[in-house]
Amino acid sequence: MKSEPSVSAAPLKGSGEPRRAAAAPAPPRLLLEEASDLLVVHLDFGAALEACERALRGLPGGPGAPRSPPGDPSAAEPAGASIEVKCSLCVVGIQALAEMDRWREVLSWILQYYQVPDLPPKVLELCILLYSKMQEPEVMLDVVSAWLQDSDNQGLPEYRAVAELHLRRVLLPLGRVSEAEEFVMGFRALGEEQLQKFLQAVHTTRQQLKEKHSGVLETQKLSQEGSFSHKLLSLLTLLRQLWDSAVSRLLSLPLKKSLLAALILCLLVVRFDPASPSSLPFLYQLAQLYRRIRKATLAHLHLLSLHD
């Protein structure tokens, strides 16, 4: 039996049949599940980030979000659920960016979807930990300070945890000890035990900074002393070489010339001050010795000329 030809579901061109409406975008919650699956199971970080961005754009109030049509299931979603989905999407997006070694883009990416005072504590804590781990906590300094100063955030149960992270992972690593101490003393929500704990952390950091500064000064001092010792050793070595060379030269000269050169060399090395009264006897004796040597040399030359 000959089978009937299958009929295509797509409308024929020019048939006048209206086209079917485009498929509705997936709800943000489904995109969150897709992004999590791409991140954890498939390790496709780029696709996970793209899914997060599509979901964030589709959330009510998101950048470029279309107006929800009547009967859309995402529009009927409770506001609290939508806030939780948005926070979870940002967490997945942060992890995807970090896995792609694009962690420097995290803060600017997050601020596309949140104003600073509206940042969820979970997202803010994750950002603090990330930049602290990458040794760039200064990136979060202004953002966390502004978040902590917002009166609405001060009533959140997570406020103390964010404040502790700000102290331990931002202020103290940056060496802002005075600012950290002022921050702790102005933190009214702290109990006595927690206050002493924070003040102890500030005190420990201050001591470490002092020891580090003292160590740097000591290293510089030792370096300078080592440089001076090296220069002195080089100078002594050079003087010894000059002395050995002078002695070798003297040994190759006749006795009288050697004696005269030795006296002159002694005068140069010891560096007597001719103007000093204490040097006059020595200079007088040196002059007498020079005259005797000269007289003896002339007499010797005279005898040699008579012999010839």
Side-chain angles (χ1 to χ4, degrees):
M1 182 177 177
K2 195 173 183 180
S3 61
E4 295 182 0
S6 59
V7 180
S8 175
L12 296 176
K13 186 176 180 181
S15 62
E17 182 181 349
R19 292 179 179 271
R20 293 184 181 179
R29 187 175 292 277
L30 292 180
L31 288 173
L32 172 61
E33 295 177 1
E34 177 186 346
S36 302
D37 189 60
L38 289 168
L39 176 73
V40 177
V41 179
H42 301 285
L43 303 180
D44 192 344
F45 309 121
L49 180 64
E50 184 181 354
C52 289
E53 290 176 338
R54 280 192 287 124
L56 288 166
R57 287 194 297 267
L59 285 171
R67 187 174 296 177
S68 300
D72 186 6
S74 63
E77 194 172 26
S82 178
I83 292 173
E84 185 64 31
V85 169
K86 183 177 180 180
C87 177
S88 300
L89 286 167
C90 287
V91 169
V92 174
I94 290 171
Q95 294 174 341
L97 285 169
E99 292 290 349
M100 292 187 291
D101 200 23
R102 292 169 55 186
W103 55 270
R104 287 186 176 87
E105 305 174 28
V106 164
L107 185 60
S108 59
W109 185 79
I110 288 295
L111 294 180
Q112 295 179 86
Y113 308 106
Y114 286 104
Q115 298 293 325
V116 171
D118 301 329
L119 283 168
K122 185 187 298 183
V123 172
L124 190 59
E125 290 175 10
L126 188 58
C127 290
I128 294 173
L129 292 172
L130 174 63
Y131 283 100
S132 174
K133 181 180 179 181
M134 304 311 295
Q135 299 182 357
E136 290 192 11
E138 65 275 5
V139 175
M140 298 300 300
L141 182 61
D142 295 336
V143 173
V144 185
S145 298
W147 191 91
L148 290 170
Q149 291 172 7
D150 187 78
S151 57
D152 293 335
N153 294 328
Q154 292 176 3
L156 297 176
E158 300 91 351
Y159 184 82
R160 181 179 295 184
V162 175
E164 184 172 359
L165 278 178
H166 180 56
L167 176 71
R168 296 185 180 276
R169 298 300 187 99
V170 179
L171 292 179
L172 294 182
L174 291 175
R176 295 175 174 259
V177 181
S178 300
E179 186 177 342
E181 188 172 19
E182 182 180 352
F183 171 75
V184 172
M185 296 304 296
F187 196 178
R188 299 177 183 177
L190 288 177
E192 184 63 27
E193 183 178 353
Q194 197 75 9
L195 177 63
Q196 294 301 323
K197 181 181 178 182
F198 283 3
L199 288 176
Q200 181 61 37
V202 173
H203 176 72
T204 302
T205 303
R206 180 179 279 116
Q207 291 298 117
Q208 291 174 350
L209 290 175
K210 286 182 179 179
E211 292 174 2
K212 183 179 180 180
H213 182 66
S214 300
V216 170
L217 293 179
E218 187 67 23
T219 302
Q220 291 177 351
K221 183 178 179 181
L222 292 175
S223 177
Q224 292 174 355
E225 291 178 355
S227 177
F228 176 76
S229 301
H230 179 71
K231 291 179 181 178
L232 181 60
L233 182 61
S234 300
L235 178 61
L236 292 176
T237 303
L238 178 61
L239 288 176
R240 181 178 179 182
Q241 292 175 351
L242 292 175
W243 176 260
D244 292 342
S245 176
V247 170
S248 301
R249 180 65 178 168
L250 288 174
L251 291 176
S252 64
L253 295 175
L255 178 61
K256 296 174 182 179
K257 293 183 179 180
S258 299
L259 181 59
L260 179 60
L263 291 174
I264 294 173
L265 180 63
C266 179
L267 181 61
L268 292 175
V269 173
V270 180
R271 298 180 68 180
F272 286 105
D273 184 6
S276 176
S278 60
S279 63
L280 292 178
F282 177 79
L283 293 176
Y284 176 76
Q285 294 175 4
L286 182 62
Q288 292 293 330
L289 182 61
Y290 176 73
R291 291 193 189 98
R292 292 175 187 174
I293 293 174
R294 182 182 179 187
K295 188 180 294 184
T297 303
L298 292 175
H300 181 69
L301 293 175
H302 181 67
L303 289 175
L304 290 177
S305 63
L306 290 177
H307 181 74
D308 293 339

